[in-house]
Amino acid sequence: MGKKEAKQSFVLKTPKGTKDWEGLDMVIRDKIFSTITQVFKRHGAVTIDTPVFELKDILAGKYGEDSKLIYDLADQGGEICSLRYDLTVPFARWLAQNSSVQSIKRYHIAKVYRRDQPAMSKGRMREFYQCDFDIAGVYDPMIPDAEILRITSEIFEALGWGGNYTIKINHRKILDGIFQVCGVPQDKIRMISSAVDKLDKSPWDVVRKEMTEEKGLDGEIADKIGEYVKLKGTRDVLDKLNSIEALQANESAKQGLADMTLLFSYLETFGVLDNISLDMSLARGLDYYTGVIYEVVTEGSAPPAASNVEGQKVQETGRKEKKEKKPAEDDDDRSNDPTIGVGSVAAGGRYDELVGMFSGKGQIPCVGISFGVDRIFSITKARMESEKAQQLRRTEVDAYVMAFGGKGFTGLLPERMEVAKSLWDADIKAEFLWKVKPKLPAQFKAAEQSGIPYGIILGEDELKAGKVSIKEMGLPEGHPEKNGVLVDKANLIPEMKQRLKQYEEKLASQLSGVSI
Amino acid sequence: MGKKEAKQSFVLKTPKGTKDWEGLDMVIRDKIFSTITQVFKRHGAVTIDTPVFELKDILAGKYGEDSKLIYDLADQGGEICSLRYDLTVPFARWLAQNSSVQSIKRYHIAKVYRRDQPAMSKGRMREFYQCDFDIAGVYDPMIPDAEILRITSEIFEALGWGGNYTIKINHRKILDGIFQVCGVPQDKIRMISSAVDKLDKSPWDVVRKEMTEEKGLDGEIADKIGEYVKLKGTRDVLDKLNSIEALQANESAKQGLADMTLLFSYLETFGVLDNISLDMSLARGLDYYTGVIYEVVTEGSAPPAASNVEGQKVQETGRKEKKEKKPAEDDDDRSNDPTIGVGSVAAGGRYDELVGMFSGKGQIPCVGISFGVDRIFSITKARMESEKAQQLRRTEVDAYVMAFGGKGFTGLLPERMEVAKSLWDADIKAEFLWKVKPKLPAQFKAAEQSGIPYGIILGEDELKAGKVSIKEMGLPEGHPEKNGVLVDKANLIPEMKQRLKQYEEKLASQLSGVSI
């Protein structure tokens, strides 16, 4: 490295739309990732790590006009590559490439890249995380679909969102059947479906206007649709739909309703019906869904001003919103509140024909979900701040080894090192101040800044008597153990293990019911 | 996504020099990462996640002629960016950018990118992992340096390599002092140092020839150097060096020896001296080291044919080897054995002046180490195969819920679902076959293929009596529990928890002493 070159000045920043993750944000994010991963593994999922860039041809023709948002690598000779745009296409490429794999449950939490106009305040980044879970393989109807929804429910329960989220579900075949029964011409079905999809952020009259004025649908047909898409509930809605003869007479609706009835019975067995809302206004824009579709919303969710932190969602609505943004929606831009402008926190569905596009051979039916981890992060962080929950610690250190002494104090460095070593040997996380003669306030400050729960304090006299002091940090004035408890040095490890166990239990009980 | 476009044919592969991580490799790799991370956290380290690409200017002028290996993003308007080449420069950028941070222990395990000629058989990839740990901040001499070596030792012990690795250490100031004392002209010191660095793969007479014939060093001076660089040992070597008056009279050597003497006392306290080899032939090529340098080698290590899986190492020797490759070294190319051609598995040192290059302001002294996780992976995998160690499981699933029955068998799907739900609720990892009427052999096969330790078997008669069967998979013929143990369905969870606890303990005792 030439020092001369390096001394040139340059702008010290990360590229536009990217950020460094650090400090408490990193701790919260890691906890979210590990919570989600634990649930995936509970259901036997494995992970596959694909390269951050793919051959450009693999991505080409997969994202319609959003292809312009793909980051290309420079042509430096050799293959032409692009950064991955999502995790779905690399997974489909992998499945097509590994034709011996006929079934898999895979999860993948990784960064994806979009050359979009970033809006940091709304969480729209150029580099952001996706978290996908997909089941590929031929199984009996609705069983994997039900397990995906069970997994979804387990994840939001594990995140501490119990009672505070709704899984909206619908079925493409029911929806298509409804459109057919209402009289939508076949060639307008996708177009009308995508108009319905906007009902989560626009009132019916706006959507109706789009159907009739922009898309030339007959007003009476639109009104019939309007009656259906109002339907929202659980078994009551399913029973109502099942009782409509016109739907039963429609092949698509009939199949979809049979699927949904089966799914409901499975969801009941899995104990997740309480959080389900069968919602006829849920349409999801992506063309490739072929069966059940779903989207998770949480309290405080608002119309998304931009959707790219929500995984697959961007492919359907993200760009459209940019082009068709209404003045009312621009209001979101004024807010830095991370929970504003955040719509769904997870979304997905069944896509039985996507892998065939890659392999050109047999289809592998798939059903999956994408968790909007950046949104989940923002909401979690905001809730933690508002609930003044137990402060998350920046590090996981259990003990800070300190020393003090009067005149002629040597610093007790070898003794502090030896105690730290014995703690590390026992897998207790420990630090000490890397100074030969540290001052006591500096040691306390270091322990407090990292939120370390225990100080282990060495004094020359105490050491001579074979004792050390364990001090729980942050005890109130007047607490009998405020100045620490003297223990035999030979018993330090069991003494610490016992305290740490109690501390973990206390922490766990404090945190139960609190997000993360 | 337009189906027409997508049906075009394309090559189904990952880009050159990249790979998908999947299956057992992924499981092994994750275990290595979590083992290493656990040690980092034990010492209070935090992680920082920087973007995968940086502004091109940040990387410019950092890698000398290896800059041609940097991957650039295409110029699609806006900032010009490049994929990160290592994790050190982004860390230095972050430190310089966050000037309020005066000290940090940070680790970072992430992919880096080099447009090199890939050699998959030797593990030289264009996308590969680095694992860096660095301590930045002003502390008393050698204390953080000692802790880095303690961490290094803990990691290789945790990986099960105990007794099977050596940490070679040296000090730039000792080495520079030796060169001065031997009479090397000041302007030839770095050049001669880089010749010495080749002693791990070339015999002395080859290195001597390079010094004298290529680099014009006086033969007598070379011979004096030859005496020093033979020195290799522990306290004996340190004592010998300390007793040489010429070195004590040299300012650089004197400082270096004082550091090393202090370091040895700290390493002894930390209990890691056993694995240390003070090695005067260790020089490390990177210009930016200013103090202690180290490199970890393991049994079966051989001269590296290519070094880019080893983190920072590539910056010093990777390219040079390519250009200066001797016929003898080419022999390595014939082998696909991942342990052949693998040199050091970790390397690092103190670099007190690097951050100043970025900030242009104050220096932040740093000491760090980079673990060659791809090499560690290859060696671990090869050892596991050769030791026929307990097979690592592809998934972590604890139980496979099955059903069987005679004529009129319904498949017991709701019952299997309900049992699976109760297992998930108790955080027991469980799967069942997503078929309405599964065949028993298919269920057994699924459980066996994933190495799942327990089957939970439902039969109609047993269920009526409130019983289910727990079957430990893979028991030998004739074992009393070969056909499973009938337990009360109401007691399934505690019964399983108890068995899983025993299973974990058995696994832990089998694995102790085995790599990973």
Side-chain angles (χ1 to χ4, degrees):
Chain A
M1 185 185 292
K3 288 195 187 183
K4 209 165 30 177
E5 296 166 279
K7 279 213 172 125
Q8 72 194 18
S9 73
F10 34 68
V11 186
L12 280 171
K13 66 184 278 294
T14 62
K16 188 173 177 181
T18 71
K19 58 175 274 193
D20 296 320
W21 284 87
E22 63 196 62
L24 264 187
D25 283 1
M26 189 78 209
V27 175
I28 297 171
R29 200 199 76 184
D30 266 3
K31 281 210 180 265
I32 291 171
F33 286 0
S34 64
T35 301
I36 293 176
T37 303
Q38 190 187 354
V39 175
F40 291 154
K41 287 187 173 179
R42 191 184 294 152
H43 290 262
V46 298
T47 188
I48 295 168
D49 175 21
T50 63
V52 82
F53 50 82
E54 296 274 345
L55 296 179
K56 189 170 168 61
D57 284 349
I58 299 280
L59 304 193
K62 299 300 177 304
Y63 304 106
E65 60 183 43
D66 286 343
S67 292
K68 67 178 186 297
L69 300 179
I70 293 175
Y71 271 101
D72 293 327
L73 295 191
D75 181 0
Q76 294 169 288
E79 297 164 345
I80 303 298
C81 300
S82 305
L83 297 183
R84 65 183 163 217
Y85 182 88
D86 63 16
L87 302 176
T88 310
V89 165
F91 178 54
R93 188 264 306 150
W94 182 87
L95 273 176
Q97 190 178 333
N98 293 274
S99 54
S100 66
V101 177
Q102 287 301 310
S103 65
I104 191 167
K105 294 180 219 180
R106 92 83 175 76
Y107 69 91
H108 195 181
I109 305 180
K111 288 171 172 177
V112 300
Y113 299 87
R114 295 183 188 173
R115 276 189 66 257
D116 207 348
Q117 199 50 39
M120 314 287 263
S121 66
K122 287 179 287 174
R124 187 172 62 222
M125 303 287 285
R126 291 180 158 195
E127 176 183 65
F128 61 98
Y129 274 91
Q130 285 198 343
C131 168
D132 281 17
F133 177 85
D134 294 87
I135 295 172
V138 177
Y139 298 106
D140 282 343
M142 311 316 291
I143 315 182
D145 313 62
E147 190 152 333
I148 294 252
L149 294 174
R150 163 79 196 188
I151 287 169
T152 303
S153 164
E154 280 184 36
I155 283 174
F156 287 106
E157 296 293 331
L159 288 170
W161 294 21
N164 212 357
Y165 66 96
T166 301
I167 305 173
K168 299 201 279 185
I169 62 171
N170 201 353
H171 196 297
R172 268 292 163 82
K173 287 184 180 166
I174 300 178
L175 214 46
D176 288 358
I178 286 173
F179 295 142
Q180 287 163 4
V181 164
C182 292
V184 178
Q186 196 61 32
D187 63 345
K188 287 201 161 124
I189 281 189
R190 284 276 70 77
M191 196 190 290
I192 296 304
S193 180
S194 115
V196 166
D197 194 50
K198 292 176 187 161
L199 278 172
D200 59 345
K201 46 191 177 301
S202 304
W204 168 248
D205 55 339
V206 171
V207 170
R208 186 184 186 281
K209 210 167 156 188
E210 179 180 332
M211 289 182 176
T212 53
E213 292 183 15
E214 284 178 39
K215 296 179 174 168
L217 193 70
D218 185 275
E220 266 181 55
I221 298 176
D223 291 335
K224 282 189 200 167
I225 294 173
E227 288 308 305
Y228 278 107
V229 297
K230 275 184 206 159
L231 294 174
K232 187 174 301 191
T234 51
R235 279 211 185 275
D236 52 328
V237 170
L238 184 60
D239 292 345
K240 187 180 168 87
L241 292 168
N242 270 325
S243 73
I244 298 174
E245 273 179 37
L247 291 182
Q248 292 297 337
N250 175 283
E251 196 48 40
S252 174
K254 193 182 159 191
Q255 278 183 26
L257 284 167
D259 272 0
M260 193 56 81
T261 305
L262 194 57
L263 179 64
F264 262 64
S265 77
Y266 294 160
L267 292 178
E268 182 156 36
T269 306
F270 278 162
V272 297
L273 259 194
D274 283 355
N275 293 99
I276 299 285
S277 169
L278 179 56
D279 187 336
M280 288 302 113
S281 73
L282 177 72
R284 311 267 302 123
L286 274 176
D287 281 353
Y288 60 55
Y289 288 120
T290 55
V292 170
I293 48 179
Y294 30 78
E295 207 168 290
V296 184
V297 292
T298 184
E299 200 182 77
S301 290
S307 311
N308 105 359
V309 289
E310 187 230 339
Q312 303 177 327
K313 191 79 196 311
V314 71
Q315 296 167 31
E316 357 171 353
T317 61
R319 300 294 76 63
K320 275 179 259 150
E321 280 159 27
K322 231 172 91 182
K323 283 174 287 159
E324 302 169 18
K325 206 184 266 178
K326 307 272 184 307
E329 291 177 8
D330 269 324
D331 288 350
D332 294 329
D333 289 22
R334 292 193 308 240
S335 172
N336 276 317
D337 181 341
T339 60
I340 302 290
V342 170
S344 64
V345 288
R350 175 163 284 283
Y351 52 101
D352 284 346
E353 287 157 20
L354 185 64
V355 176
M357 288 185 180
F358 286 86
S359 68
K361 295 170 294 190
Q363 297 290 355
I364 300 184
C366 291
V367 59
I369 189 159
S370 182
F371 292 86
V373 282
D374 286 352
R375 281 192 182 174
I376 291 170
F377 166 81
S378 299
I379 293 171
T380 302
K381 193 179 166 188
R383 285 189 186 165
M384 283 179 57
E385 281 162 1
S386 70
E387 289 172 6
K388 298 202 196 316
Q390 170 83 22
Q391 272 254 304
L392 269 180
R393 293 157 57 198
R394 267 162 212 277
T395 76
E396 298 176 13
V397 173
D398 301 312
Y400 203 92
V401 182
M402 322 182 191
F404 75 98
K407 209 173 160 229
F409 174 54
T410 62
L412 297 172
L413 178 61
E415 290 80 2
R416 284 182 288 137
M417 284 183 153
E418 191 222 309
V419 168
K421 172 186 178 292
S422 68
L423 293 166
W424 296 330
D425 283 341
D427 198 19
I428 294 173
K429 305 182 184 79
E431 289 183 304
F432 62 96
L433 194 56
W434 291 325
K435 297 277 184 188
V436 173
K437 286 192 197 178
K439 295 198 168 62
L440 195 59
Q443 298 175 83
F444 268 111
K445 193 177 158 204
E448 278 159 6
Q449 275 177 345
S450 301
I452 297 172
Y454 293 97
I456 296 175
I457 307 176
L458 315 189
E460 274 164 353
D461 294 342
E462 290 81 357
L463 280 177
K464 273 178 204 150
K467 303 275 187 186
V468 296
S469 205
I470 300 178
K471 178 177 157 52
E472 185 175 341
M473 306 292 287
L475 287 179
E477 285 302 332
H479 190 287
E481 297 189 356
K482 176 74 183 167
N483 293 321
V485 180
L486 218 55
V487 303
D488 283 342
K489 185 161 167 261
N491 281 338
L492 177 63
I493 300 302
E495 291 277 358
M496 277 305 295
K497 289 235 163 182
Q498 186 199 328
R499 280 175 177 74
L500 287 169
K501 192 158 169 267
Q502 285 164 2
Y503 176 78
E504 291 299 328
E505 285 164 5
K506 193 179 77 178
L507 217 58
S509 74
Q510 280 177 354
L511 287 178
S512 76
V514 170
S515 318
I516 290 291
Chain B
M1 186 184 289
K3 289 193 184 181
K4 209 165 28 177
E5 296 166 279
K7 278 208 173 129
Q8 72 194 19
S9 71
F10 34 71
V11 186
L12 280 171
K13 66 184 278 293
T14 61
K16 188 173 177 181
T18 70
K19 59 175 274 195
D20 297 318
W21 284 88
E22 63 197 59
L24 265 187
D25 283 2
M26 188 80 211
V27 175
I28 298 170
R29 199 198 77 185
D30 266 3
K31 282 209 181 268
I32 293 171
F33 285 0
S34 63
T35 301
I36 294 177
T37 302
Q38 191 187 353
V39 175
F40 290 154
K41 287 187 174 178
R42 192 183 292 151
H43 290 262
V46 297
T47 186
I48 295 167
D49 175 20
T50 63
V52 82
F53 50 82
E54 296 275 345
L55 296 179
K56 190 170 167 60
D57 284 349
I58 299 281
L59 305 192
K62 300 300 177 306
Y63 305 105
E65 60 184 45
D66 287 342
S67 291
K68 67 178 184 297
L69 299 178
I70 293 175
Y71 270 101
D72 293 326
L73 295 191
D75 181 358
Q76 294 169 287
E79 296 165 344
I80 303 299
C81 300
S82 304
L83 295 184
R84 63 183 163 216
Y85 182 88
D86 63 14
L87 302 176
T88 309
V89 166
F91 177 55
R93 188 264 305 152
W94 181 87
L95 273 177
Q97 189 178 331
N98 293 272
S99 53
S100 66
V101 177
Q102 287 301 310
S103 66
I104 191 167
K105 294 180 218 180
R106 92 83 173 78
Y107 68 92
H108 196 181
I109 305 179
K111 288 171 171 175
V112 300
Y113 299 88
R114 295 183 188 173
R115 275 189 68 257
D116 205 348
Q117 198 52 38
M120 314 286 264
S121 66
K122 287 179 287 173
R124 188 173 60 223
M125 303 288 284
R126 292 181 156 193
E127 176 184 65
F128 61 98
Y129 275 91
Q130 284 197 344
C131 168
D132 281 18
F133 177 85
D134 294 88
I135 295 171
V138 178
Y139 298 105
D140 281 344
M142 310 317 289
I143 314 181
D145 313 60
E147 189 152 333
I148 293 253
L149 295 173
R150 163 79 196 190
I151 287 169
T152 303
S153 166
E154 280 185 34
I155 283 174
F156 288 106
E157 296 293 331
L159 288 168
W161 293 22
N164 212 359
Y165 66 96
T166 302
I167 305 173
K168 299 201 279 186
I169 62 172
N170 200 352
H171 196 298
R172 270 292 165 81
K173 287 185 179 164
I174 300 178
L175 213 47
D176 287 358
I178 287 174
F179 296 141
Q180 287 164 4
V181 164
C182 292
V184 178
Q186 196 62 31
D187 63 346
K188 286 202 162 120
I189 281 191
R190 283 276 71 78
M191 197 191 289
I192 296 304
S193 180
S194 115
V196 166
D197 193 50
K198 292 176 185 160
L199 278 172
D200 58 346
K201 48 192 175 299
S202 304
W204 168 248
D205 56 339
V206 171
V207 170
R208 186 186 187 280
K209 210 167 156 188
E210 178 180 331
M211 288 181 176
T212 52
E213 293 183 13
E214 284 177 40
K215 298 182 170 164
L217 193 70
D218 186 276
E220 265 182 57
I221 297 177
D223 290 334
K224 283 190 198 165
I225 294 173
E227 288 309 303
Y228 278 106
V229 297
K230 275 183 205 160
L231 295 173
K232 187 175 301 193
T234 51
R235 279 211 184 277
D236 52 327
V237 171
L238 184 60
D239 291 344
K240 188 181 168 89
L241 291 168
N242 269 326
S243 71
I244 297 174
E245 272 179 38
L247 290 182
Q248 293 296 338
N250 175 284
E251 195 49 41
S252 175
K254 191 183 163 193
Q255 277 182 24
L257 284 167
D259 273 358
M260 193 56 82
T261 306
L262 194 56
L263 179 65
F264 262 63
S265 77
Y266 294 159
L267 292 178
E268 184 157 34
T269 306
F270 278 162
V272 297
L273 259 194
D274 283 355
N275 293 99
I276 299 286
S277 169
L278 178 56
D279 188 336
M280 287 301 113
S281 73
L282 177 71
R284 311 268 299 126
L286 275 177
D287 280 354
Y288 60 55
Y289 288 119
T290 55
V292 170
I293 49 179
Y294 31 79
E295 205 167 292
V296 183
V297 293
T298 184
E299 198 182 78
S301 290
S307 311
N308 106 358
V309 290
E310 189 230 338
Q312 303 178 326
K313 190 81 196 309
V314 71
Q315 297 168 28
E316 1 169 353
T317 61
R319 299 294 76 67
K320 274 178 256 152
E321 279 159 25
K322 236 173 82 183
K323 281 174 290 160
E324 302 169 17
K325 206 184 266 179
K326 308 272 183 307
E329 291 178 6
D330 268 325
D331 287 351
D332 294 329
D333 290 23
R334 291 194 308 240
S335 172
N336 278 317
D337 183 341
T339 60
I340 303 290
V342 171
S344 65
V345 288
R350 174 163 286 281
Y351 52 101
D352 284 345
E353 287 157 21
L354 186 64
V355 177
M357 287 185 180
F358 287 85
S359 68
K361 295 169 292 187
Q363 296 289 356
I364 301 185
C366 292
V367 59
I369 189 159
S370 182
F371 292 86
V373 281
D374 287 352
R375 282 193 180 172
I376 291 170
F377 166 82
S378 299
I379 293 171
T380 302
K381 193 180 167 187
R383 284 187 185 166
M384 282 179 56
E385 280 159 4
S386 71
E387 289 172 5
K388 297 202 195 317
Q390 170 82 25
Q391 272 254 301
L392 269 180
R393 293 156 57 197
R394 267 161 212 274
T395 75
E396 298 175 13
V397 173
D398 301 312
Y400 203 91
V401 183
M402 321 183 190
F404 75 99
K407 212 177 156 222
F409 174 53
T410 61
L412 297 173
L413 177 61
E415 290 81 1
R416 285 182 287 137
M417 284 182 153
E418 192 221 308
V419 168
K421 172 187 178 290
S422 67
L423 294 166
W424 295 331
D425 283 341
D427 198 19
I428 295 173
K429 304 183 186 77
E431 289 184 302
F432 62 95
L433 194 55
W434 292 323
K435 297 277 184 188
V436 174
K437 285 192 196 180
K439 295 198 168 63
L440 196 57
Q443 298 175 82
F444 269 110
K445 195 177 156 204
E448 278 158 5
Q449 275 177 344
S450 302
I452 297 173
Y454 293 98
I456 296 175
I457 307 177
L458 314 190
E460 274 164 353
D461 294 342
E462 290 80 357
L463 279 177
K464 273 178 203 149
K467 303 274 188 188
V468 296
S469 207
I470 300 178
K471 180 177 155 49
E472 185 174 342
M473 305 293 288
L475 288 179
E477 286 301 332
H479 190 286
E481 297 189 357
K482 175 76 183 166
N483 293 320
V485 180
L486 218 55
V487 303
D488 284 340
K489 186 164 166 257
N491 280 337
L492 177 62
I493 300 302
E495 291 277 357
M496 278 302 299
K497 289 236 164 182
Q498 186 199 329
R499 280 173 177 75
L500 287 169
K501 191 158 172 264
Q502 284 163 4
Y503 176 79
E504 291 299 328
E505 284 165 6
K506 195 179 78 180
L507 217 60
S509 74
Q510 280 178 356
L511 287 179
S512 76
V514 169
S515 318
I516 289 291

